[in-house]
Amino acid sequence: MNKNIYGYIRVSTVDQNEDRQRIAMHGLPIPEKNLFVERQSGKDFERPQYKKLIRRLKPEDLLYIKSIDRLGRNYGEILDQWRMLTKEKGIDVVVLDMPLLDTRRGKDLMGTFLSDIVLQVLSFVAENERTNIRQRQAEGIAAAKARGVKFGRPPKPVPKNFDQLHHDWRGGKLTLREAAAACAMPVSSFYAKASQLEQAGEPRRS
């Protein structure tokens, strides 16, 4: 049976660069038409390139990936995909970052057993690291907020004519809608800003 060789590359967003994974596969006998590149999160398996790859795979084909976490977002999904590829599809998988995860070697019971152990350990480590990263990010944001660091977009400065229009509105010379339009602000934004200034103790002009 003829064996086809494939490569799968995934980056989490369209802004990330897949060069690191391409370099790792450089020199491998992967035809360009058999290299599938996904620029999409692994949060689910509705990934068009991955699904296209799966449809192409035949028994005894060979698939290269850079690291085990390219297969899924968590421990369970990685294991499910590994078993689907190796057991249901009947292909060989080579994980370039971990030479022990090369199903071409150790086809006997012991070799399969050792590969399964290594896979489970690595999948757990990958998921645990993502959990730790999210926890560190949350802790960092909480610490920054405690120091008074503001997140999100800075508020837009009010127009120079805001004070006068605020005065005219409170004095009854303008309606709220007219004052907001003259400031080129939504009515809700004009009212909110006016309320903030008044609550801060700035005198109303009337």
Side-chain angles (χ1 to χ4, degrees):
M1 184 180 294
N2 293 328
K3 177 172 68 175
N4 292 308
I5 301 175
Y6 296 91
Y8 179 68
I9 290 172
R10 178 175 65 80
V11 291
S12 297
T13 69
V14 294
D15 297 326
Q16 289 184 346
N17 194 309
E18 71 268 13
D19 286 351
R20 186 175 66 88
Q21 296 176 64
R22 283 187 179 274
I23 290 170
M25 294 186 187
H26 180 71
L28 296 173
I30 305 172
E32 185 62 30
K33 65 183 177 67
N34 287 354
L35 185 61
F36 292 79
V37 180
E38 199 92 62
R39 298 176 181 87
Q40 187 172 334
S41 171
K43 64 183 179 179
D44 55 46
F45 279 94
E46 297 303 316
R47 297 175 288 172
Q49 290 301 306
Y50 185 76
K51 294 172 74 173
K52 184 178 178 181
L53 168 64
I54 296 302
R55 290 195 297 269
R56 292 270 298 273
L57 293 172
K58 299 293 186 293
E60 297 188 18
D61 284 349
L62 174 61
L63 172 64
Y64 286 97
I65 56 175
K66 174 69 167 66
S67 56
I68 194 63
D69 61 358
R70 299 303 83 194
L71 290 181
R73 62 178 178 175
N74 59 44
Y75 174 70
E77 286 178 352
I78 291 171
L79 290 178
D80 286 344
Q81 294 303 304
W82 181 271
R83 293 188 182 110
M84 181 271 293
L85 292 169
T86 59
K87 303 296 192 297
E88 297 176 20
K89 286 290 184 178
I91 70 165
D92 282 315
V93 182
V94 176
V95 180
L96 297 173
D97 278 355
M98 178 53 64
L100 284 174
L101 289 178
D102 181 345
T103 60
R104 298 171 300 178
R105 304 174 182 176
K107 293 288 188 179
D108 58 7
L109 181 61
M110 181 58 70
T112 301
F113 175 70
L114 291 175
S115 291
D116 285 348
I117 289 177
V118 172
L119 174 66
Q120 292 193 43
V121 170
L122 289 179
S123 300
F124 173 77
V125 169
E127 181 180 6
N128 194 54
E129 178 59 21
R130 282 190 291 271
T131 301
N132 289 339
I133 289 172
R134 288 193 293 268
Q135 181 177 345
R136 289 194 294 269
Q137 288 173 338
E139 290 172 349
I141 291 172
K145 287 182 176 179
R147 296 194 305 270
V149 176
K150 302 295 184 182
F151 291 88
R153 294 180 180 178
K156 293 182 179 180
V158 296
K160 292 182 179 179
N161 60 346
F162 181 85
D163 285 344
Q164 182 59 50
L165 291 167
H166 177 219
H167 165 67
D168 291 343
W169 167 55
R170 285 302 188 187
K173 296 180 181 179
L174 296 172
T175 66
L176 175 60
R177 188 174 299 277
E178 289 170 340
C183 281
M185 297 173 69
V187 170
S188 59
S189 298
F190 180 92
Y191 185 84
K193 188 62 181 176
S195 298
Q196 288 174 5
L197 294 176
E198 292 164 5
Q199 289 173 5
E202 295 194 10
R204 297 183 185 179
R205 301 179 191 176
S206 55

